[in-house]
Amino acid sequence: MAETTNENTTTSSALKYHAGFGNHFESEAYAGALPQGRNNPRIVPHGLYTEQLSGTAFTAPRNENRRTWLYRVQPSASGTSHSFHPCGGGGGAITASSSEISLPESFGRADWSNDMKLDPNPMRWGATPLHPSTSSFPKSKKNINFIQGIHTLLGSGDPTCKSGIGIYVYACNSSMAATAGDGGDGGNGGDMHMYNSDGDFLIVPQHMTLMVQTELGVMTVMPGEICVIPRGVVFTVNIMGINDDEENFARGYILEIFRGHFQLPEIGVIGSNGLANVRDFLHPVAHYESDEAIANKACTIVNKFGQQLFARKNPHSPYNVVAWHGNYLPFKYDLRKFCAVNSVTYDHPDPSIYTVLTAKGGDEDGTALADFVIFPPRIMATGEIRLFLIDFWMRIVLNYSPPYFILFVAFRREHISTPVVPQECHDRIHGVNLRRVRCQENKERCRRRFRPRRSKLASHHDAARARRR
C-alpha cells in the first residue's frame, strides 16, 4: 500500500500513519517519487538518491530480515566531509549556526566503565524534578533539550559486544530543532538531530506530548503512548505546546536494547487475539522538508556510539527522504488499546501476560533480553464466584456483549448475575436460551436480572406465537 501526500505538514491532526507490525509498507510524500518494479533503478524518479537502511544482516532469516529502501533529495554521504568529534571536554564542543552546543561526553551522563557499580540492594528512584532549580541539570542552562536531559538509571552488558540493555530518564524544556514542532530552536546552538548506533530506543513519555521526527516520517507521542526508534534512524524530539513556564518540562523514560529489535510476544494458548494487537501499531508516512530554507539549513548530527556521544556539522537537514518502502521503521503504540488477559477464578497469573513488546537475547528459549510490561486497569477475580457449567465450554463476560456464536456466562464486577451457559453443537450459532434466561429471572437469588435486548423481529414472532395460543 502506498501513501501519497503533497502536503508536508507536521500538525498533529494532519499526520497519517500505516497500521500494522512487521509489515512491508511503502510511502511517498511526492507523487511518482517511489520507483516501480525495482529498488535501485539507474535513473531514479525526480533525480533522487537511493539508499538502503539495513536493520539486520543481509542473510538473516526472511521472517526476521529488516531493511528499508530510501529515496532522498541529497545522499547521506554529502555531509561526511565533516568528521565526528567526541562531545564533552577537550575541544568536544561543536559549533553550528555560530553557537556552541554543549553535550556530555557519555550518553546519559554516566561512564559505564567507571560510574556503573554493582549493588545487590533494592532501589527506588523518585520522579525527575520539573523545575530547573531543583534538578541536577546545570543551573546556568535555561534550555535543556532531549539529549542533554537524559540521565542513566541502570544498565547491563556492553553495546560494543551487542549485549545488554540501558534504562534512562529524561527531563527537558526545549526542542531539539525548529523543523517539526512548535518552534524549538535546538535548545542551544541551532537544530540538533541524533541517531543511535548502539541499539533501539523505546521512549515512554510521562509528562507532555512529544513530536518525534525521523527520516521516515513524523509521529506525535503523548503520555499513555510509546514509540520505538530503531538503530541507525536519524530522529529529532520536539516538545508540543512548549511555553515559557518553568514548570513546563517534558519528562519520561527510555529503554534501550543493544541486541536485536523489539517484537510482539508469542501468545500461544491465548489464541489469535489479545494483548497488543497488530493493527494498533502505527508507522509514520513519508515526510521531507520541502522548505528550502529549512532543508538547506546547517545543523548538528549527534551519534551515540559505544555509550559515547560524537557530533559533527551537517550542511543540510537529514529529513530529505521523499519516498521509502520496507519493514525497518519507527512506530508508536497506544497503551490504552492493550487487551489484558487475567484470571477469572483464583490467584494471579505471572506478569508476563501483560507483555506489550519483547526482545530476544537470552541463551535459553523463552528467556528475553528485555520485556516491556504494563499493568492496565483490569478486573480481578475476588469473592465467591458461582459457575453453572454445562459441558466443558465456558466464557466469563464482564458487561460485554459477546459474538452470538460464543458460549458465555454474564456477570457483573461484584458477583455473577444470572449465570447462563447454553450447550450448542459445534460450528452452530450459539446464543442465550430465552427460556433458560426467564427461568433464572424468576428466581429471587440474583441482585440484578438479565434481560436480553429483543429485536423488533423477535418481538413480532413472540406476538404471533401468543395469538396462536
Side-chain angles (χ1 to χ4, degrees), residues 434 438 454 457-467 469:
L434 181 60
R438 289 180 175 174
R454 301 288 291 168
L457 181 60
S459 300
H460 174 74
H461 289 322
D462 289 346
R465 190 179 299 109
R467 288 195 298 270
R469 293 177 182 174

Side-chain angles (χ1 to χ4, degrees), residues 45-298:
H46 304 292
L48 300 176
Y49 295 88
T50 304
E51 294 178 359
Q52 180 177 226
L53 177 63
S54 297
T56 56
F58 297 141
T59 55
R62 181 178 290 268
N63 65 326
E64 298 178 2
N65 205 297
R66 296 289 181 266
R67 86 285 181 271
T68 295
W69 285 92
L70 312 176
Y71 303 93
R72 326 182 69 112
V73 176
Q74 299 185 63
S76 299
S78 63
T80 56
S81 58
H82 300 275
S83 300
F84 279 103
H85 298 279
C87 297
I94 303 299
T95 301
S97 302
S98 300
S99 299
E100 188 178 84
I101 300 175
S102 178
L103 291 172
E105 180 179 1
S106 299
F107 180 78
R109 303 178 183 273
D111 184 349
W112 282 38
S113 59
N114 298 318
D115 299 334
M116 305 291 282
K117 304 295 182 182
L118 288 175
D119 192 333
N121 297 303
M123 299 181 182
R124 285 183 182 270
W125 288 272
T128 306
L130 295 179
H131 196 287
S133 62
T134 59
S135 70
S136 58
F137 300 121
K139 296 182 180 181
S140 60
K141 291 183 179 296
K142 181 179 180 181
N143 294 327
I144 302 167
N145 66 26
F146 179 77
I147 303 177
Q148 297 166 330
I150 295 176
H151 284 248
T152 302
L153 285 185
L154 50 93
S156 66
D158 186 348
T160 61
C161 298
K162 307 297 292 182
S163 66
I165 64 173
I167 299 177
Y168 317 92
V169 294
Y170 72 85
C172 55
N173 65 347
S174 177
S175 296
M176 290 174 59
T179 56
D182 293 317
D185 63 353
N188 301 279
D191 292 352
M192 184 185 301
H193 316 290
M194 177 183 179
Y195 71 95
N196 184 3
S197 297
D198 293 337
D200 290 9
F201 277 148
L202 188 156
I203 302 175
V204 187
Q206 185 268 328
H207 185 262
M208 296 195 67
T209 299
L210 304 179
M211 178 168 281
V212 181
Q213 183 170 12
T214 72
E215 294 178 282
L216 300 162
V218 184
M219 305 179 291
T220 57
V221 189
M222 64 181 64
E225 295 180 334
I226 61 172
C227 75
V228 171
I229 303 175
R231 182 178 64 246
V233 174
V234 179
F235 69 94
T236 303
V237 176
N238 287 352
I239 306 173
M240 296 189 66
I242 194 69
N243 54 43
D244 295 331
D245 185 0
E246 290 187 344
E247 300 291 339
N248 219 356
F249 262 66
R251 183 171 66 184
Y253 310 89
I254 303 173
L255 168 63
E256 181 184 13
I257 56 173
F258 301 143
R259 177 180 176 181
H261 303 288
F262 287 102
Q263 55 186 282
L264 294 177
E266 301 294 340
I267 53 179
V269 296
I270 293 177
S272 57
N273 301 290
L275 305 188
N277 292 310
V278 171
R279 65 180 300 186
D280 295 325
F281 288 85
L282 301 178
H283 305 264
V285 300
H287 170 84
Y288 72 103
E289 298 294 357
S290 56
D291 187 337
E292 291 188 6
I294 298 178
N296 297 321
K297 181 181 179 181

